[in-house]
Each structure stands twice: as structure tokens, then as C-alpha cells.
Amino acid sequence: MSTTILLILLFAAVCHAIWNALSKKIEERDAFFTLILGASVILYFPLAVYLWQTSSFPPGAIKWLLLSTCSEVLYFVALGKAYKTNHLSYAYPILRGTAPIVTTIISTLFIGTAIAWTGFVGILVIVAGVVFMNQRTFSFRELSHLVKDWGNMKWVFLAGSFSACSSIVDGMGASMMSGLLFKYFVFFGMFAGKWIIDRRAEIKVSYVALIKRYPWHTLAGGLFVFVSNSLAVYAMQTTPVTYVASVREISIVFATLIGVIWLKEKVGVVKWVSIGMILAGVVIIKLS
């Protein structure tokens, strides 16, 4: 992995952690997700027009666009439900940690992606750091609570799985056309799909009222949610999707810092050690 791609993914990770933290402060989370998706479509429309005029859009990319859109819509639905019953610092690491595991399994078994053995080591170190992120001690016995608390955690795991699926599909689409333009069309579909789901669920929230109550949250969310996703897709054009999905998990580090500083959440010694493991895994992947 090149230094440029690593820096791009680090910036994308910061953006991802920020918009997740913003959403945690808002009770009408489902409606807010829809709102920031719509804000992204509007804010990045000039960029989409420019890319449409300067790059191609092959018909073969349409199927990947549709699959990515479906995966992303389901991700946001599961994410909204996951945050209703779980703290950011608890749910976010498990959610993000699920993605590289699922991505690696699918990519190696079904797509045939070649990964260096050092890359596998880096991915495993990151996953290990994520697995122990919310434990009081480094004991596998404590991990059983994830199964016991399945009623709440199932949405977290589902969100992570849908995120992995969208990453793989994004990689396929980005190999055929501009990654940024591909993701913009996906975002347009995500907004339309999420809006339809909100209407069918009869969510009693006015988007206009929500904008008036949270104008800066909406603007920042719209800016950061697209950047965090589109830059990752851009990286997939030159870097294996498994590496990209794994390095993106460094966003857990930024999310933890935001949780501590902004949301006043407590962090123990085990979590700090786990963060060190995640950082070490990123370094290993960088050097692989």
C-alpha cells in the first residue's frame, strides 16, 4: 500500500468517525441519515457533473451500482437500529471490525483476490484489536456476552456485514469507471431508497424541521459521509479491497477519541491496548 493511499484512508477514517459521532447526538437518527444522504447528493452535484463530462460510464457498471446501493441502504437501516440500544464506543468497533472479516472471506474465497501473508497478519492483528476493544480484560470468556446480548448486537453485526458487501461491490464498480462518480450515483440511490423506507415506516419527522434544529450537523454530515465512502472507493482502484476495508478500521481509533472527548465516554486500559493493536495492524498492511 502506497503512502498516498494510506493518507487518503486515514482522512476518510476521520470523516467516518465524525459523521457517526454527529448522528449519535441526534435522537431522530433514521431521519438524520436520510437527511445527510440528501445533503451529500446536493453538495457534490457539481463534482458529479464534472466527472460525468470528463469520464466514462460503462453499462456493465450498472449492476454493481444497484448492488452497492441495496447494500448501503440496508447498512443505514441496520446502523440506525444498532445505535438505538448501544453506545457509540461499544457498537462502532464491533460494527467496523465485522467488515474486514467478511470482506476478506468473500474476496479470497469467491473473487480470488491475492493477499500477501503479511497482509493476512495485519488484518488478523486489526481484527484482534477490534474484538477486545470493549472487553475489561484480554479474556475470551468475556466475548460470550456478544452472543448473550444478540438481541441488541445482531443489528451491529448486520450493519458491519452490509458494509463489507458494499465495499466488495464498490471495488468491482470502481475497476470499471471513476470511483468518485460511481459512489455519487450510489449515494443518489441510497438517498432515494432510504427516503422510501422512511415513508413506508411512517417516520413522524419533518426533514425541514430537522435541518432548522441541526443545520451544522446536517452540513457536516453531508460533507463527511460522502468523503469517507468515496475516498475508500477511490483507493480500491489501485489497492486490494481487503486492505482498504481493514485499514479503514483505524476510524475506530478516531471514534474512541471522539467518544472520550465529546461524548464523555470512559475508556479503559484494555481499549487503549486494543487501539495500539489496530495501529500496529495498519502498519503491517502498509509494509506488506
Side-chain angles (χ1 to χ4, degrees), residues 108-170:
T108 54
L109 295 182
F110 301 101
I111 301 179
T113 301
I115 303 175
W117 70 268
T118 50
F120 274 114
V121 171
I123 293 171
L124 290 175
V125 171
I126 290 174
V127 171
V130 170
V131 166
F132 288 106
M133 178 66 70
N134 293 305
Q135 308 307 308
R136 291 171 297 178
T137 62
F138 288 101
S139 171
F140 287 101
R141 183 177 300 177
E142 288 193 32
L143 296 178
S144 62
H145 79 277
L146 296 178
V147 178
K148 294 178 180 179
D149 196 27
W150 180 251
N152 292 329
M153 294 303 298
K154 64 182 179 182
W155 293 110
V156 178
F157 285 114
L158 282 172
S161 298
F162 288 132
S163 176
C165 291
S166 64
S167 293
I168 294 171
V169 175
D170 285 347

Side-chain angles (χ1 to χ4, degrees), residues 14-77:
V14 172
C15 294
H16 195 282
I18 290 175
W19 78 256
N20 271 266
L22 288 172
S23 67
K24 188 61 180 177
K25 300 285 287 187
I26 298 174
E27 294 183 2
E28 305 89 343
R29 218 159 282 117
D30 280 338
F32 181 69
F33 287 155
T34 307
L35 187 62
I36 62 175
L37 288 173
S40 291
V41 171
I42 296 172
L43 291 170
Y44 291 98
F45 179 74
L47 174 63
V49 172
Y50 170 77
L51 293 174
W52 177 263
Q53 294 176 339
T54 57
S55 60
S56 61
F57 186 87
I62 294 177
K63 63 179 179 180
W64 302 117
L65 191 155
L66 294 175
L67 287 172
S68 179
T69 300
C70 291
S71 296
E72 291 281 17
V73 170
L74 292 173
Y75 165 74
F76 273 95
V77 172

Side-chain angles (χ1 to χ4, degrees), residues 92-243:
Y92 190 80
I94 303 301
L95 184 158
R96 298 309 311 165
T98 304
I101 298 174
V102 177
T103 302
T104 302
I105 292 173
I106 295 177
S107 297
T108 54
L109 295 182
F110 301 101
I111 301 179
T113 301
I115 303 175
W117 70 268
T118 50
F120 274 114
V121 171
I123 293 171
L124 290 175
V125 171
I126 290 174
V127 171
V130 170
V131 166
F132 288 106
M133 178 66 70
N134 293 305
Q135 308 307 308
R136 291 171 297 178
T137 62
F138 288 101
S139 171
F140 287 101
R141 183 177 300 177
E142 288 193 32
L143 296 178
S144 62
H145 79 277
L146 296 178
V147 178
K148 294 178 180 179
D149 196 27
W150 180 251
N152 292 329
M153 294 303 298
K154 64 182 179 182
W155 293 110
V156 178
F157 285 114
L158 282 172
S161 298
F162 288 132
S163 176
C165 291
S166 64
S167 293
I168 294 171
V169 175
D170 285 347
M172 302 299 289
S175 66
M176 304 177 68
M177 59 178 290
S178 166
L180 297 181
L181 182 60
F182 177 86
K183 202 61 184 181
Y184 180 83
F185 281 114
V186 170
F187 261 65
F188 189 89
M190 288 163 60
F191 168 66
K194 189 65 171 60
W195 181 79
I196 292 173
I197 290 175
D198 288 354
R199 292 293 298 272
R200 291 182 63 87
E202 297 182 353
I203 294 180
K204 308 294 183 180
V205 179
S206 168
Y207 297 119
V208 175
L210 203 58
I211 292 175
K212 291 180 178 179
R213 288 171 57 191
Y214 304 104
W216 294 111
H217 289 69
T218 302
L219 177 61
L223 287 171
F224 290 135
V225 70
F226 181 78
V227 169
S228 65
N229 282 269
S230 60
L231 289 183
V233 176
Y234 174 80
M236 292 174 191
Q237 294 181 298
T238 57
T239 308
V241 63
T242 50
Y243 289 168

